[in-house]
Amino acid sequence: MDPVPALDEPLKKVLGPATAKVMAEHLGLHTVGDLLHHYPRRYEERGQLTHLADLPMDEHVTVVAQVADARLHTFASSRAPRGKGQRLEVTITDGSGRLQLVFFGAGVHKPHKELLPGTRAMFAGKVSVFNRRLQLAHPAYELLRGDAEETVETWAGALIPIYPATAKLESWKIGKALQTVLPSAQEAADPLPESLREGRGLVTLPEALLKIHRPHTKADIEEARARLKWDEAFVLQVALARRRHADAQLPAVPRRPRPDGVLAAFDDRLPFTLTEGQRKVSEEIFADLATDHPMHRLLQGEVGSGKTLVALRAMLAVVDAGGQAAMLAPTEVLAQQHHRSVTEMMGELAEGGMLGGAENATKVVLLTGSMGAAARRKALLDLATGEAGVVIGTHALIEDKVQFHDLGLVVVDEQHRFGVEQRDALRGKGKQPPHLLVMTATPIPRTVAMTVFGDLETSVLDQLPAGRSPIASHVVPAADKPHFLARAWERVREEVDKGHQAYVVCPRIGDEEDGAKAKKKSPEEEAEKRPPLAVLDTAEQLARGPLAGLRVEVLHGRMQPDDKDAVMRRFAAGEVDVLVATTVIEVGVNVPNATVMVIMDADRFGVSQLHQLRGRVGRGSAPGLCLLVSEMPEASAARQRLNAVASTLDGFELSRIDLEQRREGDVLGQAQSGTRSSLRMLAVIDDEEVIAEARVEASRIVAADPDLERLPALRTALDALLDEEREQYLEKG
């Protein structure tokens, strides 16, 4: 079926080039259909005002409020030395709280005339903090007069839709653009099969689009949302079901371990017994490896639950069956570390073909981009001849030059750092598609796993091995209580005195070209917050100040790989007391003697990132301590997020909080393939039932009609969801 022409109309034709350009650049909207699917974030009732009391920091907000007072101040500045600078301060209120608006310079004249006390308007801008109070600097606004003809028309509905907006395009302008394209909604082709739609009592797609943008009642909004959620869940699940279906048709070589092979020898030399969870997950993996179509499994495990051990046993099972296994790590530091820990765990079993190697040993090879030419040639030869049964590397493994003798299993570490394209390129190296095991230490709620990794079967490791210590976490409010920060550095010294080590993590490296410093800042820019703390500055200040006399070193992503590895080795060997680093250390770095983690500007990190970082301490027998340092005010959303991290060590609980706090779109967008998320209405956490039901329906429909020949409108919706990049991603599998 041809795509619906009205919805494919470029916005440039309908709204004019200027508006269309802003919509394309800032909101990713290109066609009439895109704009119709840009749904309101919420609705304001004419008589009801937004809660100014709970505005999120650093976000673009739209509020409806009343002007309480407006004052014009003059001041001296570099631009207006004789006290001719002007600043207009307007206080608005909604009964729940007050918010200050500021306008500077020539920008004060229009609002000074229009924003008189008692005036009601919509205001849009970015929430910042100045003098410890929330404010909007230079907000855009639209007066709610209700007298001029056009305004009455625009605000006629009792419910005012508030759209996700940007500094360049306010919510009410998006609303006006939508009024222009709304008639085209009648031509939207309905992707849901009629029997499914009627069976579930859902309204048609044109009706849902009309009701979401121009609701007359709250019931309209509910009906529209219920329907649009189903669309998103169902179309996405059909895409994933088709991928599972296609994967099940692919051939693969079954890989069964030999009873007297390298896996059995490895298990015999383990100094501990596997946890119940490790045993169960290994059995699931071995069962998959023994089938004649490729395994696609996601292995989730809390930081330190022993995922690497489970993956290694799977790799050795494949080596036993005559194949090769490759492990793909996101960074060189991590690849080197995996290589070290795998060769240590295997001992003489990793010394295939060498003097002193065990008789059923294999060779474990490291391949990274920064290796010398000779070492690289040797590694490539070992892969091509099959001499190396296990290879560990970064995306250098994907290069065209790399040839495998018989690639049977690909293990991808930390999925969320790996482009789907990369894992596909590596899987293309096998004579037949290899089995795939994806590992992640970011706990993913079941619904997200169904949505993001819906093409993978999931195994979860939720037991920590014996001998792990608890980690205490505390928020350190550096601005409100500076003495807490001083105490934090004392705690670091106390741990070092006991013979332990510490990490200090900063958001930035600190040698970036800082163009901002060169420019003279305007007063409104001054009101913006300072740049995030940097590794190089922090390390220097600590070494001169509170941690003077301790051995402080730095580690960050722009160092040469050999230098990074040398620093990590010194830290692991106990020759460094305090490592000041960026998030390079977030994944997989294992130093059991490190007991303290101080995270500076912790509010600049995501919840799951903080949880990952915290997992680097408490890996030995001494208890761990994680201090989250922040200057954000007590009431801010950022502080609440940090309090949540400090209050629980349960990664699954935190990942729920994380998802509730930021739109799931970010999570899904990144995890899918870096394009913007297709989910606008579906809330992955709250809509668990819809997702689970959509998955069942999708599997049923795809089993009966894999090419969707009987459902052309669904096919069209699928093409729209899977823009070029995603289509390849799902097909490459």
Side-chain angles (χ1 to χ4, degrees):
M1 168 178 163
D2 290 328
V4 183
L7 298 199
D8 276 0
E9 189 81 50
L11 287 173
K12 199 159 53 186
K13 282 193 176 166
V14 189
L15 303 174
T19 307
K21 185 170 184 243
V22 177
M23 286 197 170
E25 285 176 7
H26 294 274
L27 296 169
L29 308 175
H30 303 276
T31 64
V32 168
D34 291 344
L35 181 53
L36 285 172
H37 288 294
H38 186 72
Y39 307 131
R41 186 173 277 168
R42 55 190 172 81
Y43 300 84
E44 284 295 353
E45 290 179 65
R46 294 303 305 275
Q48 180 197 23
L49 298 169
T50 325
H51 283 301
L52 291 180
D54 14 290
L55 286 180
M57 273 293 300
D58 273 348
E59 273 193 32
H60 248 282
V61 297
T62 303
V63 297
V64 176
Q66 190 157 6
V67 176
D69 70 47
R71 296 177 186 191
L72 191 60
H73 302 274
T74 53
F75 60 92
S77 73
S78 54
R79 289 192 195 157
R82 291 197 294 279
K84 292 284 170 52
Q86 290 193 310
R87 183 173 77 245
L88 176 66
E89 290 178 4
V90 178
T91 306
I92 57 172
T93 176
D94 66 352
S96 78
R98 294 163 86 81
L99 179 65
Q100 189 159 56
L101 317 177
V102 285
F103 300 89
F104 293 98
V108 304
H109 306 306
K110 186 164 175 276
H112 190 217
K113 282 210 299 275
E114 294 183 334
L115 297 179
L116 304 171
T119 309
R120 295 193 55 219
M122 292 173 87
F123 301 93
K126 187 173 169 187
V127 182
S128 56
V129 170
F130 184 65
N131 280 344
R132 314 212 29 194
R133 285 166 59 198
L134 293 183
Q135 69 165 25
L136 296 182
H138 279 282
Y141 60 89
E142 176 95 343
L143 303 178
L144 296 177
R145 294 197 186 89
D147 49 21
E149 211 29 59
E150 190 252 3
T151 321
V152 172
E153 188 49 44
T154 316
W155 310 107
L159 295 160
I160 304 172
I162 304 291
Y163 290 93
T166 75
K168 298 271 188 290
L169 200 63
E170 295 85 28
S171 169
W172 51 87
K173 289 186 182 159
I174 295 171
K176 284 176 183 168
L178 265 150
Q179 298 301 338
T180 311
V181 301
L182 209 50
S184 308
Q186 293 306 331
E187 297 185 45
D190 204 323
L192 290 192
E194 201 166 330
S195 56
L196 189 159
R197 187 173 61 70
E198 288 174 352
R200 295 188 175 272
L202 299 168
V203 298
T204 63
L205 181 56
E207 193 181 336
L209 289 171
L210 219 58
K211 285 182 166 171
I212 200 80
H213 293 296
R214 291 199 79 161
H216 293 300
T217 62
K218 288 186 176 166
D220 283 354
I221 300 171
E222 286 317 303
E223 276 185 10
R225 279 189 172 149
R227 162 62 214 242
L228 295 168
K229 279 178 181 177
W230 251 94
D231 276 18
E232 287 178 8
F234 179 70
V235 174
L236 187 59
Q237 292 301 335
V238 166
L240 293 165
R242 291 186 69 206
R243 183 167 177 176
R244 287 195 300 276
H245 182 269
D247 283 340
Q249 317 303 312
L250 291 172
V253 180
R255 311 278 179 174
R256 294 184 184 84
R258 293 200 314 274
D260 57 345
V262 65
L263 176 62
F266 174 74
D267 283 350
D268 287 346
R269 51 168 289 143
L270 277 179
F272 50 81
T273 51
L274 297 174
T275 64
E276 186 52 44
Q278 287 171 327
R279 259 202 304 279
K280 186 177 116 284
V281 169
S282 288
E283 276 157 25
E284 292 172 346
I285 292 171
F286 292 152
D288 282 357
L289 289 174
T291 61
D292 54 11
H293 54 256
M295 161 172 87
H296 291 102
R297 190 165 282 282
L298 173 68
L299 172 56
Q300 284 183 249
E302 275 287 12
V303 178
S305 57
K307 291 182 300 298
T308 312
L309 176 63
V310 169
L312 178 55
R313 294 186 73 233
M315 291 165 86
L316 297 181
V318 168
V319 172
D320 272 347
Q324 290 170 295
M327 181 187 263
L328 205 53
T331 63
E332 294 214 352
V333 169
L334 198 53
Q336 286 162 338
Q337 181 153 332
H338 275 317
H339 182 252
R340 257 203 307 277
S341 60
V342 164
T343 46
E344 278 165 18
M345 280 199 267
M346 287 176 64
E348 68 269 23
L349 294 172
E351 294 168 4
M354 292 187 242
L355 277 174
E359 63 180 278
N360 48 5
T362 185
K363 206 174 208 182
V364 179
V365 168
L366 175 70
L367 187 65
T368 63
S370 65
M371 283 168 76
R376 189 179 170 78
R377 263 200 307 279
K378 177 92 181 71
L380 289 172
L381 188 65
D382 286 342
L383 291 187
T385 58
E387 184 95 355
V390 174
V391 57
I392 294 168
T394 54
H395 39 263
L397 283 176
I398 299 166
E399 290 171 13
D400 293 343
K401 292 196 220 39
V402 181
Q403 296 299 323
F404 289 85
H405 177 66
D406 178 15
L407 181 60
L409 170 68
V410 174
V411 178
V412 178
D413 189 12
E414 285 302 326
Q415 164 68 19
H416 63 281
R417 294 166 170 263
F418 256 102
V420 171
E421 295 77 12
Q422 292 164 312
R423 87 178 187 202
D424 291 334
L426 189 57
R427 287 171 62 182
K429 300 268 183 198
K431 294 192 176 67
Q432 283 196 321
H435 299 281
L436 173 71
L437 180 64
V438 171
M439 301 197 295
T440 175
T442 309
I444 304 166
R446 175 173 156 262
T447 39
V448 182
M450 271 196 298
T451 311
V452 178
F453 299 110
D455 57 322
L456 303 173
E457 299 300 322
T458 305
S459 298
V460 178
L461 276 176
D462 46 15
Q463 276 170 293
L464 286 187
R468 272 314 183 82
S469 302
I471 304 172
S473 306
H474 304 284
V475 178
V476 177
D480 311 349
K481 300 179 178 162
H483 58 285
F484 276 38
L485 183 58
R487 175 73 190 119
W489 302 127
E490 282 171 21
R491 284 292 288 120
V492 170
R493 293 196 86 101
E494 286 163 17
E495 288 298 311
V496 172
D497 288 346
K498 290 181 197 162
H500 297 306
Q501 292 159 281
Y503 295 103
V504 177
V505 178
C506 304
R508 224 163 43 102
I509 296 174
D511 57 358
E512 299 87 345
E513 282 302 305
D514 200 350
K517 278 187 190 156
K519 284 205 326 260
K520 188 84 185 104
K521 288 195 174 162
S522 67
E524 55 270 42
E525 284 171 324
E526 288 293 346
E528 288 287 357
K529 56 188 187 183
R530 61 168 175 73
L533 290 171
V535 166
L536 300 176
D537 310 340
T538 304
E540 196 183 320
Q541 286 159 9
L542 290 175
R544 282 209 314 262
L547 302 184
L550 301 188
R551 297 168 296 176
V552 178
E553 293 211 18
V554 300
L555 179 71
H556 58 75
R558 282 214 292 275
M559 287 164 65
Q560 288 304 313
D562 292 351
D563 297 344
K564 273 193 275 202
D565 199 44
V567 171
M568 266 330 295
R569 278 172 194 267
R570 286 202 294 278
F571 189 63
E575 295 161 20
V576 174
D577 298 321
V578 179
L579 187 61
V580 183
T582 54
T583 51
V584 206
I585 58 144
E586 175 185 349
V587 181
V589 173
N590 187 18
V591 179
N593 190 43
T595 53
V596 196
M597 160 83 61
V598 182
I599 304 176
M600 308 303 291
D601 279 345
D603 47 273
R604 313 274 179 134
F605 298 97
V607 169
S608 56
Q609 217 178 6
L610 291 169
H611 181 59
Q612 288 281 336
L613 286 166
R614 168 169 66 185
R616 300 296 119 222
V617 294
R619 299 173 82 87
S621 52
L625 172 66
C626 176
L627 301 173
L628 306 167
V629 180
S630 171
E631 294 188 352
M632 295 307 273
E634 183 78 56
S636 63
R639 271 286 283 282
Q640 286 159 9
R641 205 169 65 228
L642 296 181
N643 291 340
V645 174
S647 67
T648 177
L649 290 171
D650 178 341
F652 285 93
E653 176 55 31
L654 285 174
S655 62
R656 286 184 80 95
I657 294 169
D658 194 16
L659 275 171
E660 281 161 5
Q661 293 209 336
R662 50 191 186 132
R663 310 243 332 279
E664 292 91 347
D666 311 342
V667 181
L668 302 175
Q670 279 168 2
Q672 292 283 16
S673 63
T675 53
R676 69 198 171 84
S677 161
S678 53
L679 300 194
R680 299 184 179 84
M681 189 56 77
L682 199 66
V684 176
I685 294 285
D686 303 339
D687 298 321
E688 188 160 353
E689 274 169 43
V690 177
I691 292 169
E693 288 171 18
R695 183 178 167 122
V696 172
E697 292 276 11
S699 301
R700 187 176 58 75
I701 280 168
V702 169
D705 181 9
D707 291 327
L708 308 179
E709 284 168 357
R710 296 192 290 282
L711 298 166
L714 174 56
R715 181 70 243 192
T716 306
L718 204 57
D719 292 342
L721 167 73
L722 312 173
D723 46 34
E724 293 301 301
E725 183 180 7
R726 287 255 193 81
E727 181 73 59
Q728 290 162 1
Y729 148 57
L730 286 177
E731 283 182 350
K732 276 190 298 203

